[in-house]
Amino acid sequence: MSLLWRDALPPPARARGPRQGVSVDAVVRAGIAIADREGYERVSIRTVAAELGLRPMSLYTYVPGKDALIMLMVDAVAAEDAPIDPARPVRERMAAIAHGVRAELLAHPWLLEVPPWRQVLGPGRIRRFERQLAALDGTGLDDLEMDRVIAVLSEFATGNARMAVAAARSAREMSDAQWWEMHGPLLAQVMPESDYPLSSRVGAAAGQTYEAPGDPDGAFDYGLARLLDGIENHSR
């Protein structure tokens, strides 16, 4: 926790020994770069040390281990969130909360692999929460409702981002056209329209529109609009 809030605390007394060649911030940036480039599982004390040209053991003078490093990385990414303009209409401010969460996850998919419960209480995440609350303050929601609106919008955006990331990864491995070319004839044989009339009708309409098994972007826009409708109706 003291590492997270290092800029708000008095600097620690310098330990004896050689002066550190990099900063904690540089270590965190290196971890994020590896995670963005190679994935969450590739982040380790060894790989981050190599990224910085350091010996693995020397990295422990900056962070106590991988768990602490991941915690610092999560908070550093949260600190990059842009503020929400308080002059925008209330609906746009609420939408911006969900769009911000989703954009962060699409830019840094490895965040989806970080355990979400008891999330990091660092300055980046706390400042983001403050900005999200400011976007809702004065809208007629009480304090608990503001907290729950942020949670609902964030969880919806996270679930959709998870599907969007999975779709992008699958498309890199095999295009949707190739998948249907491989499996379509068998599915047509085992799933006759007479047995699955609704699935056939809706599936054909969706497939023609999406040209894919699903449409994460369109589902996000549709679902967010319905969520905001419900929140607005409740707060009137």
Side-chain angles (χ1 to χ4, degrees):
M1 195 64 75
S2 60
L3 271 177
L4 279 169
W5 292 93
R6 60 193 178 279
D7 292 334
L9 295 171
R14 194 169 75 85
R16 293 182 178 179
R19 184 178 295 276
Q20 291 181 321
V22 298
S23 65
V24 173
D25 289 343
V27 172
V28 174
R29 287 193 298 270
I32 293 172
I34 293 170
D36 287 345
R37 188 176 67 237
E38 303 178 41
Y40 178 82
E41 69 283 352
R42 285 288 297 152
V43 178
S44 68
I45 295 298
R46 183 175 296 277
T47 58
V48 173
E51 184 89 357
L52 294 167
L54 301 173
R55 291 179 292 105
M57 289 305 296
S58 69
L59 207 69
Y60 289 105
T61 64
Y62 300 93
V63 294
K66 178 177 177 177
D67 288 346
L69 175 59
I70 294 296
M71 175 180 65
L72 293 166
M73 290 163 54
V74 169
D75 198 65
V77 170
E80 298 171 358
D81 274 16
I84 299 171
D85 185 355
R88 295 170 67 179
V90 173
R91 186 181 179 94
E92 290 185 14
R93 282 183 268 153
M94 290 192 291
I97 294 172
H99 279 286
V101 171
R102 186 175 190 262
E104 177 183 277
L105 294 169
L106 295 183
H108 307 282
W110 55 270
L111 288 168
L112 292 166
E113 301 181 53
V114 179
W117 198 244
R118 289 186 179 170
Q119 276 283 18
V120 178
L121 293 178
R125 287 182 60 86
I126 294 299
R127 288 193 192 105
R128 177 171 65 188
F129 186 48
E130 184 73 18
R131 291 194 294 266
Q132 291 170 334
L133 289 171
L136 300 177
D137 194 30
T139 60
L141 299 167
D142 63 31
D143 289 354
L144 185 57
E145 287 173 327
M146 287 196 295
D147 182 74
R148 284 182 168 161
V149 165
I150 292 170
V152 167
L153 292 174
S154 299
E155 288 163 14
F156 167 71
T158 299
N160 180 270
R162 191 179 301 278
M163 183 62 69
V165 168
R169 287 174 177 167
S170 293
R172 287 195 294 268
E173 296 168 1
M174 178 185 293
S175 72
D176 294 317
Q178 291 171 324
W179 191 93
W180 281 108
E181 184 179 354
M182 179 181 299
H183 299 290
L186 175 62
L187 291 174
Q189 179 181 348
V190 300
M191 296 171 57
E193 184 176 347
S194 57
D195 289 348
Y196 305 96
L198 291 176
S199 299
S200 298
R201 190 186 78 209
V202 174
Q208 184 176 6
T209 300
Y210 308 151
E211 297 183 351
D215 176 23
D217 293 344
F220 177 77
D221 291 338
Y222 180 85
L224 179 58
R226 301 293 77 77
L227 273 176
L228 296 179
D229 289 343
I231 294 168
E232 289 183 320
N233 288 336
H234 173 74
S235 60
R236 284 172 185 161

